[in-house]
Amino acid sequence: MTVRVRFAPSPTGMFHVGGARSALQNWIFAKQQGGVFVLRVEDTDAARNRPEWTEGILSALDWIGIARGSYEGPYFQSAYAGEHRAAAQRLHEGGRAYYCDCTREDVQARTGSQHRGYDGFCRDRGLPAGEGRALRFRTPDEGETVVVDLIRGEPTFENKLIEDFVIARGDGSPVFLLANVVDDMTMGITHVIRAEEHLPNTPKQQLLWDALGVKPPIWAHVPVVVNEKRQKLSKRRDKVALEAYRDEGYLADAMRNYLMLLGWAPSGDREIVPWSVIEDEFRLDEVNPSPAFFDEKKLRAFNGEYIRALPVEDFVAACQPWLTGTDTIAPPPWQPAEFDPAAFAAVAPLAQTRLAVLSEIVPNVDFLFLADPLIDEAAWAKAMKEGAADLLDAAITAFESLESWDAESLKATLEAVGAERGLKLGKAQAPVRVAVTGRTVGLPLFESLEVLGRDRTLTRLRAARVRLV
């Protein structure tokens, strides 16, 4: 048997990080088993589907290493509507499904509760197909449905507690439960690895597999991904879009390493490991069924480690989208002609040690490529207190007479200026930093002044001195 797994997202919004985690788990499992990864886009919700969302899915998968051309598909669920309807008809003709014209209000009136499920009223009425008549699956009255799950063991469900569920709407269109099963059958899926939220649907889908005469797949329901309040990650409430993390400057290697730790861990006391280790060590049956906390602070720390591990030339290349702008990343505050690649290359090693995400490169280097620095008014107020004007005057005079414009000489000069005024270097450099860069924090000051150059540095110091008048 060739192992065949599938990832089946809906093109109805941004790509969820939980979906990315499931995709990676399917991908690795298929690779380990010498199997096939199938991408199926479940696009039957015509009212919400948009072509750009489908492209977003493909692009996001590309980014995390599941590249186009390396998997089977994408297939589109809408193309299999004929198979879905044929399966519904087979179930009806075989007595495993029946037509029902009950409304929700009808059921509630009979049961006296809005919380009770369908009561089987139409089971033996023998209604033919007709407008407004849904097709319901006839659930067995006795016995149990056992779900063999690689992560959760063998959850068992009493059939009598499963209501006769709808498999086709009143207009004849199959619902998700049936379409999903038929697609998996058609595509020969052997293992279904998906989120825990689908577990309640699984006994119903397994009953459909049995009724259609096909052996069910092996199931694996991975843990739900939750936020810091232990609530399921929600598109409405939480930052969940993989594209948003990509455009903020998270590295793909860091993201997929972190995603694979949501419910699983590699051997030893380690978390940041090469992808080859994850591919080798990951085991579905070792996934923890408990909810997995998506900790953005931890992800940022991961990403910073990955950034610092890059060769400098790779770091420079990785920063380019934020230095120029793209279709999804805003352009920097400077004009393209103002950007100096040599200046950026000079400060890149200094910036690399300070970033958690690549988008932070812009506020770290913008002072190099703007005619005037972008002044943070809070930083100005903090640095330009009593004595700042005198210190700037002295620094300007001392810098003007420097024979060698290098970081070491600049540091020694400002250190001497500060000492004459009873200031340690940290206090002395604060007004200079804000005058030149606009901020109180940033790259090492004296290396920055060296790259900025004598003329531009002095021009900014003089402008700051005038502003203090």
Side-chain angles (χ1 to χ4, degrees):
M1 178 187 69
T2 298
V3 167
R4 291 176 62 85
V5 302
R6 50 79 165 172
F7 178 59
S10 298
T12 56
M14 303 295 277
F15 195 69
H16 197 291
V17 291
R21 189 270 308 262
S22 295
L24 287 170
Q25 291 171 330
N26 275 279
W27 176 256
I28 291 176
F29 182 77
K31 191 171 184 178
Q32 289 175 337
Q33 303 298 319
V36 177
F37 177 97
V38 176
L39 175 62
R40 182 173 75 232
V41 179
E42 299 196 331
D43 63 338
T44 51
D45 188 350
R48 296 174 62 207
N49 293 341
R50 285 159 54 183
E52 57 265 37
W53 296 138
T54 297
E55 175 56 31
I57 291 170
L58 301 178
S59 176
L61 290 175
D62 285 341
W63 185 62
I64 58 174
I66 305 177
R68 281 173 252 214
S70 64
Y71 50 78
E72 192 174 299
Y75 299 118
F76 292 87
Q77 190 172 66
S78 58
Y80 295 86
E83 285 85 347
H84 304 157
R85 291 179 181 272
Q89 185 175 351
R90 282 174 53 200
L91 292 169
H92 180 250
E93 292 174 350
R96 300 304 301 271
Y98 60 90
Y99 286 99
C100 170
D101 61 4
C102 297
T103 64
R104 183 176 301 175
E105 291 73 21
D106 293 337
V107 176
Q108 184 173 337
R110 287 196 301 269
T111 62
S113 171
Q114 62 178 337
H115 303 295
R116 291 184 60 182
Y118 180 66
D119 58 357
F121 180 78
C122 291
R123 265 193 165 201
D124 301 314
R125 292 177 66 195
L127 295 176
E131 184 176 352
R133 291 178 178 174
L135 186 63
R136 288 185 178 273
F137 183 77
R138 189 186 296 269
T139 303
D141 296 322
E142 299 178 349
E144 298 174 332
T145 296
V146 179
V147 174
V148 178
D149 192 298
L150 293 177
I151 295 172
R152 299 173 189 281
E154 296 186 356
T156 301
F157 303 84
E158 291 187 68
N159 291 332
K160 66 181 181 181
L161 299 179
I162 304 174
E163 69 175 4
D164 290 354
F165 52 92
V166 173
I167 58 174
R169 303 175 184 88
D171 62 2
S173 61
V175 301
F176 163 80
L177 284 172
L178 179 62
N180 191 266
V181 166
V182 173
D183 289 344
D184 285 346
M185 289 180 180
T186 303
M187 297 173 189
I189 302 303
T190 62
H191 295 70
V192 172
I193 305 166
R194 61 184 182 181
E196 176 187 357
E197 64 194 68
H198 295 288
L199 183 58
N201 291 328
T202 307
K204 298 177 182 179
Q205 291 185 312
Q206 187 157 306
L207 286 170
L208 288 172
W209 281 81
D210 292 336
L212 290 167
V214 182
K215 182 181 178 181
I218 295 173
W219 310 94
H221 288 90
V222 299
V224 65
V225 181
V226 298
N227 62 19
E228 60 185 3
K229 296 181 180 178
R230 299 310 187 262
Q231 301 167 319
K232 177 186 170 184
L233 284 187
S234 165
K235 290 182 179 180
R236 295 191 180 116
R237 180 186 57 238
D238 303 304
K239 181 180 172 184
V240 302
L242 190 70
E243 299 94 324
Y245 287 99
R246 178 189 62 195
D247 292 347
E248 190 177 341
Y250 285 85
L251 297 175
D253 286 347
M255 176 59 78
R256 64 181 186 169
N257 184 165
Y258 182 72
L259 289 175
M260 288 301 297
L261 299 181
L262 298 177
W264 175 82
S267 62
D269 186 19
R270 55 183 181 163
E271 293 184 312
I272 297 178
V273 295
W275 185 246
S276 59
V277 170
I278 294 175
E279 286 186 321
D280 181 59
E281 293 191 359
F282 176 72
R283 297 292 182 272
L284 268 178
D285 57 7
E286 293 177 359
V287 171
N288 189 327
S290 301
F293 171 35
F294 188 90
D295 185 346
E296 189 176 346
K297 292 180 181 178
K298 185 173 181 178
L299 173 59
R300 279 180 60 85
F302 259 59
N303 202 62
E305 292 287 341
Y306 271 89
I307 287 175
R308 289 186 284 279
L310 289 173
V312 174
E313 59 271 21
D314 291 351
F315 171 72
V316 170
C319 288
Q320 291 308 306
W322 290 271
L323 301 176
T324 60
T326 68
D327 290 343
T328 58
I329 297 172
W334 57 81
Q335 294 300 314
E338 297 175 318
F339 181 73
D340 182 350
F344 180 73
V347 299
L350 306 175
Q352 185 175 2
T353 63
R354 287 162 169 76
L355 305 189
V357 292
L358 292 174
S359 59
E360 293 172 348
I361 191 64
V362 173
N364 272 278
V365 302
D366 61 2
F367 71 95
L368 287 171
F369 311 122
L370 293 169
D372 300 301
L374 297 173
I375 300 295
D376 179 330
E377 294 301 331
W380 178 275
K382 182 178 180 181
M384 301 303 183
K385 296 180 179 178
E386 184 178 353
D390 174 61
L391 185 137
L392 288 177
D393 284 337
I396 291 169
T397 300
F399 286 167
E400 284 175 335
S401 60
L402 267 180
E403 293 184 5
S404 176
W405 190 266
D406 60 80
E408 186 175 344
S409 299
L410 289 162
K411 179 181 178 181
T413 299
L414 188 58
E415 196 167 23
V417 168
E420 291 173 0
R421 287 155 182 78
L423 300 174
K424 292 185 177 179
L425 181 60
K427 292 289 186 181
Q429 69 179 1
V432 174
R433 177 183 290 279
V434 172
V436 173
T437 71
R439 300 177 176 89
T440 54
V441 295
L443 304 184
L445 176 61
F446 303 106
E447 287 82 354
S448 298
L449 299 185
E450 179 179 339
V451 175
L452 186 64
R454 184 192 304 267
D455 292 343
R456 296 178 72 195
T457 297
L458 290 172
T459 295
R460 292 184 182 187
L461 291 174
R462 292 173 186 135
R465 180 64 185 85
V466 169
R467 182 176 176 179
L468 283 173
V469 173

